[in-house]
Amino acid sequence: MQVHVIHEIDCSVERIDPAVVEAFLDAELSDDPMLADSICAMADAMSAELHPRGVYKLFNPAICTLPPKYTEPAIKLVGTLAVLYGSAAYERMSEAEHTAMVVSTVGTDEEIARLRERLVKSDMDALLFDACLEAMASLAADKLAEAVADDAHERGLHRGSTLETGVEDFPLTMNTTLAFFTQTEKRLGLTAAEDGTPSDRWSTWGVIGLHNETQKKRRGCAYCHNVRTCTIRKIGMTCHGRRTRKKAKPTPSADQQ
């Protein structure tokens, strides 16, 4: 599989385990003997109507270390102007072979609003509806992550965990970058405001690192997959904080003097 190709993934959820939905409900409701049946009825109806989807795209990451612009931990995606900010992204991607941008959604707000109008007839229905949406969003994100894992395995790599925007110090504003590079508006009907707020509440945005265990914690240029095309080395620097050694000029032999 190629890097820089946008992969569209069917994240449909055929069945939702009631236990997963219950995790998004108030504990007080668990005493209801009919709760499991009510959850199944709502979940089945929603699964039949909503078709979660996702996209992902792979990039080659490189550490940003050139002052004065990059004074905080950051990861640049090679061949683009995209930069992932924050120590969380730095820690997860600094040793990665590839970075996957991932975005998944349960459905557009319009689709969900129409379905809510049909299925919600009481306060309990409203609680179950929202809990099922939370569960579907979580399951859709998991399916997208599984697709990234399959891609990683084909490359002889393993997948890290998803770092979602707005979590730790990975800013929500990164959604605008993810939206641009994965074409979410065209492919998923999703957009992100300037502050990163997504147009769809039931969506998941983030990045995943694809790692090679044999390169873990190795920071030398010899271990880097970008060594032949590295633009940082061309200016006499390295992304691990050291200057490159210039090749010494050969000392003329006695015969040449």
Side-chain angles (χ1 to χ4, degrees):
M1 290 187 176
Q2 296 178 322
V3 177
H4 299 317
V5 173
I6 299 175
H7 303 272
E8 297 187 35
I9 305 299
D10 180 1
C11 300
S12 297
V13 179
E14 296 181 1
R15 181 183 180 278
I16 306 175
D17 189 329
V20 176
V21 178
E22 284 189 44
F24 297 100
L25 290 169
D26 291 336
E28 298 176 358
L29 297 176
S30 60
D31 295 332
D32 185 345
M34 301 298 293
L35 182 61
D37 291 340
S38 299
I39 289 175
C40 286
M42 180 65 75
D44 289 347
M46 294 174 67
S47 296
E49 295 292 332
L50 295 175
H51 305 287
R53 295 171 295 148
V55 293
Y56 76 89
K57 187 176 182 179
L58 300 185
F59 300 86
N60 294 327
I63 298 172
C64 297
T65 60
L66 298 181
K69 188 173 183 180
Y70 300 115
T71 57
E72 299 293 333
I75 296 291
K76 177 177 174 57
L77 301 182
V78 178
T80 76
L81 296 178
V83 176
L84 308 180
Y85 295 99
S87 58
Y90 181 89
E91 290 171 4
R92 298 191 191 210
M93 303 302 158
S94 61
E95 301 292 343
E97 288 276 344
H98 300 296
T99 294
M101 288 184 179
V102 293
V103 183
S104 60
T105 179
V106 169
T108 66
D109 283 348
E110 291 75 15
E111 292 172 333
I112 293 172
R114 288 194 296 268
L115 190 58
R116 186 188 296 274
E117 186 175 358
R118 281 178 45 202
L119 298 179
V120 174
K121 306 300 180 183
S122 66
D123 291 343
M124 175 59 79
D125 287 345
L127 292 174
L128 294 180
F129 190 88
D130 284 346
C132 285
L133 281 175
E134 293 276 11
M136 290 185 76
S138 178
L139 293 170
D142 287 346
K143 284 204 167 189
L144 182 57
E146 288 174 8
V148 174
D150 291 341
D151 192 336
H153 292 157
E154 289 187 18
R155 300 169 187 271
L157 306 172
H158 73 272
R159 184 208 75 197
S161 59
T162 303
L163 173 61
E164 295 184 23
T165 55
V167 174
E168 299 182 50
D169 65 346
F170 191 47
L172 187 67
T173 52
M174 288 303 311
N175 283 346
T176 57
T177 299
L178 270 63
F180 175 79
F181 284 101
T182 61
Q183 300 178 5
T184 58
E185 184 172 12
K186 173 184 177 182
R187 297 171 185 272
L188 301 177
L190 276 177
T191 59
E194 189 174 345
D195 65 357
T197 302
S199 59
D200 169 15
R201 175 184 170 189
W202 311 103
S203 58
T204 303
W205 305 63
V207 293
I208 302 175
L210 277 60
H211 300 271
N212 183 339
E213 278 291 348
T214 63
Q215 292 186 347
K216 193 173 184 180
K217 301 303 180 185
R218 295 182 177 181
R219 296 303 312 135
C221 292
Y223 302 109
C224 180
H225 54 288
N226 293 318
V227 64
R228 293 184 179 179
T229 58
C230 182
T231 56
I232 299 177
R233 285 172 54 85
K234 290 181 180 179
I235 61 172
M237 296 286 289
T238 70
C239 65
H240 46 91
R242 298 177 182 175
R243 290 189 175 274
T244 56
R245 293 183 179 180
K246 294 183 178 180
K247 293 183 178 180
K249 294 182 179 179
T251 303
S253 65
D255 294 336
Q256 293 175 319
Q257 292 179 343

